[in-house]
Amino acid sequence: MKAPADLLLLPQWVVPVEPAGTLADHAVVVQDGRILDVLPADAAQARYDAAQTLALPGQALIPGLVNLHGHAAMSLFRGLADDLPLMDWLKQRIWPAEKQHVSEAFVRDGTLLAAAEMLAGGITACNDMYFYPQAAGEAYLQAGMRATLGMIVLEFPSAYAVDADDYLARGLSVRDELKDEPLLSFAFAPHAPYTIADATFGRINTLAEQLGLPIHTHIHETVDEIQDSLNQYGVRPLERLARLGLLGPNFIGVHAVHVNDAEIELMAQHGCHVAHCPSSNLKLASGIAPVAQFAAAGVNFGFGTDGAASNNRLDLFAEMRLAALLAKGVSGDAAALPAAAALKAATLDAARALNLDDRIGSIAAGKRADLVAVDLHALSSQPMFDPVSHLVYVAGREHVTHVWIDGKLKLNDRRLVHIDADDLTARAAYWRSKLTA
């Protein structure tokens, strides 16, 4: 008698990520939101009686992509303040716009818009950092998307909170309310060393250790940030955080553009992670992170889109390709970040940074069925020698055809499921009119 299954997927290639390489003519079997089995297609059809069988000829099945750093609600600021350096971008345009317009409704609509864009591009999980995480969580749940909600912390007031203690209290309250949602997890999200005092960092570190949560913060994004830290504290930002005890396996440093050899070694020794955001770093003229050195030192890293206000796409296929090319160009080593390593950074390595690698990031029995089908049979993909190479250097988000999260279909033949695109377009137009009034 055949064993029951909910879904039997028959792609031309399965790309499990771990182990590296591809499996031709294999099947992935899904039951109760988990990957039940990965085995040759003929054996799968003989062994399992699936409620649904889907053939995917010419397609590669990969783990869902993991966006290691984003500000999802800022999708509503897309194109608002282009062609400015970081601090001018923040102080002259973004912070004033946030002060005037950011609210629960803004965050809910902006996050849902971002979730729709990410899902359509094969991103199944996002590490988010923004105000009103409750509203963001509601939007992710509405979209059926996996997310790590950053409990944002700043010293200065906003419409969301009045001071650091208030930010922390509000964030912890949201965590208490939503912590049992299986698609949601949490991280402390102090904005950056230049916006957080030592005492606040100390409290965050204690809470993170008590609750076993990651700490997700911007670090060494610009040269000016480092010089300001030297002027104010007498040390560079990363050294300051090391002295405060924040560095460790739960630390995710976003950007890490301007780090020296000693700092890379420091991150490696403490088991830190880096969220590499190449498009945002280039667009804001912040620089290029030394990814080849991260890899050589054993620093785990994944890719982030950052927010749509500074990218302006939430597109991890673009980040994978750009990161691989930049690593080669800067290091002078064509093998600095090979395709398989880039795909792993966008999936399993990013999941590891979020403490989710036991659940997502690779196609293996027992893991959650967060899966993406990518069409590789178009003329632009021919001839085919190596599907993994094509996924990084040839394919784009427009080639994503199907997306599943926890075995539930979210994108069906390039059409979003249960998300009303017309309604989202209308909401974006509403916020555009408010922002330009």
Side-chain angles (χ1 to χ4, degrees):
M1 181 180 292
K2 292 184 178 181
D6 295 329
L7 179 63
L8 178 63
L9 297 175
L10 299 167
Q12 188 161 347
W13 303 278
V14 174
V15 183
V17 171
E18 192 173 69
T22 60
L23 302 171
D25 300 319
H26 272 58
V28 175
V29 186
V30 177
Q31 175 78 354
D32 297 328
R34 292 186 180 275
I35 298 168
L36 181 62
D37 209 344
V38 182
L39 70 171
D42 291 344
Q45 291 172 299
R47 185 177 304 176
Y48 293 101
D49 181 18
Q52 179 187 8
T53 298
L54 181 62
L56 297 165
Q59 300 196 48
L61 193 70
I62 67 173
L65 303 178
V66 179
N67 187 353
L68 192 52
H69 174 67
H71 309 286
M74 295 183 81
S75 60
L76 293 175
F77 290 147
R78 191 194 320 264
L80 177 69
D82 285 341
D83 305 323
L84 293 170
L86 175 63
M87 295 316 297
D88 290 345
W89 177 81
L90 280 173
K91 293 178 180 179
Q92 296 176 16
R93 301 300 300 276
I94 297 302
W95 285 346
E98 287 178 333
K99 183 177 180 180
Q100 186 172 358
H101 295 287
V102 171
S103 63
E104 288 188 61
F106 179 98
V107 170
R108 190 177 294 107
D109 288 351
T111 302
L112 188 59
L113 178 64
E117 180 182 357
M118 287 190 281
L119 287 171
I123 298 172
T124 58
C126 179
N127 184 28
D128 201 3
M129 175 196 284
Y130 208 60
F131 305 102
Y132 298 102
Q134 171 91 32
E138 292 167 0
Y140 282 117
L141 291 174
Q142 181 179 340
M145 183 174 171
R146 199 176 302 279
T148 297
L149 298 179
M151 294 179 282
I152 186 74
V153 184
L154 292 160
E155 298 292 348
F156 54 80
S158 67
Y160 172 59
V162 298
D163 58 21
D165 289 343
D166 193 23
Y167 282 99
L168 281 168
R170 289 175 182 271
L172 291 168
S173 176
V174 173
R175 176 186 175 271
D176 289 343
E177 184 170 344
L178 297 178
K179 66 181 179 180
D180 294 326
E181 291 287 351
L183 289 177
L184 300 181
S185 55
F186 291 84
F188 287 100
H191 171 259
Y194 58 85
T195 55
I196 303 294
D198 284 0
T200 301
F201 270 131
R203 187 176 175 200
I204 288 169
N205 192 38
T206 299
L207 289 167
E209 290 180 354
Q210 291 173 345
L211 298 174
L213 297 181
I215 298 172
H216 168 211
T217 189
H218 302 92
I219 189 79
H220 286 228
E221 186 174 1
T222 67
V223 172
D224 288 346
E225 169 195 344
I226 295 169
Q227 187 58 53
D228 289 346
S229 179
L230 287 167
N231 293 340
Q232 184 173 359
Y233 298 101
V235 293
R236 291 159 64 92
L238 198 64
E239 176 62 25
R240 178 180 161 221
L241 297 191
R243 293 182 182 186
L244 292 169
L246 268 75
L247 302 190
N250 68 335
F251 182 82
I252 304 169
V254 182
H255 302 303
V257 172
H258 301 281
V259 287
N260 57 36
D261 290 345
E263 289 162 339
I264 293 171
E265 182 60 29
L266 183 66
M267 288 190 289
Q269 289 175 355
H270 285 86
C272 301
H273 313 274
V274 169
H276 176 37
C277 306
S279 292
S280 177
N281 295 154
L282 289 176
K283 187 165 183 287
L284 293 172
S286 299
I288 302 171
V291 170
Q293 289 95 315
F294 292 154
V299 176
N300 183 59
F301 61 89
F303 304 133
T305 61
D306 213 343
S310 64
N311 186 314
N312 299 14
R313 299 158 60 96
L314 307 183
D315 181 354
L316 274 188
F317 280 92
E319 302 304 325
M320 271 197 296
R321 185 174 191 274
L322 181 58
L325 297 181
L326 286 174
K328 301 171 193 305
V330 170
S331 68
D333 178 6
L337 185 60
L343 181 62
K344 186 167 176 277
T347 53
L348 187 60
D349 291 344
R352 181 174 296 122
L354 296 172
N355 296 326
L356 295 176
D357 53 309
D358 61 335
R359 284 181 267 175
I360 61 171
S362 61
I363 300 178
K367 287 198 171 184
R368 306 307 301 180
D370 290 10
L371 302 166
V372 172
V374 184
D375 185 357
L376 296 179
H377 81 277
L379 285 177
S380 60
S381 298
Q382 305 309 313
M384 170 69 67
F385 297 106
D386 179 359
V388 174
S389 171
H390 268 42
L391 286 165
V392 174
Y393 298 124
V394 177
R397 64 179 179 179
E398 68 274 12
H399 296 108
V400 173
T401 62
H402 296 75
V403 173
W404 295 264
I405 297 177
D406 269 353
K408 297 176 181 177
L409 190 63
K410 300 301 171 185
L411 187 76
N412 183 17
D413 198 18
R414 295 184 169 90
R415 292 180 179 272
L416 289 165
V417 178
H418 306 310
I419 293 180
D420 187 335
D422 291 337
D423 175 63
L424 272 180
T425 300
R427 294 192 202 191
Y430 164 79
W431 287 108
R432 178 188 177 277
S433 67
K434 289 199 70 171
L435 284 159
T436 56

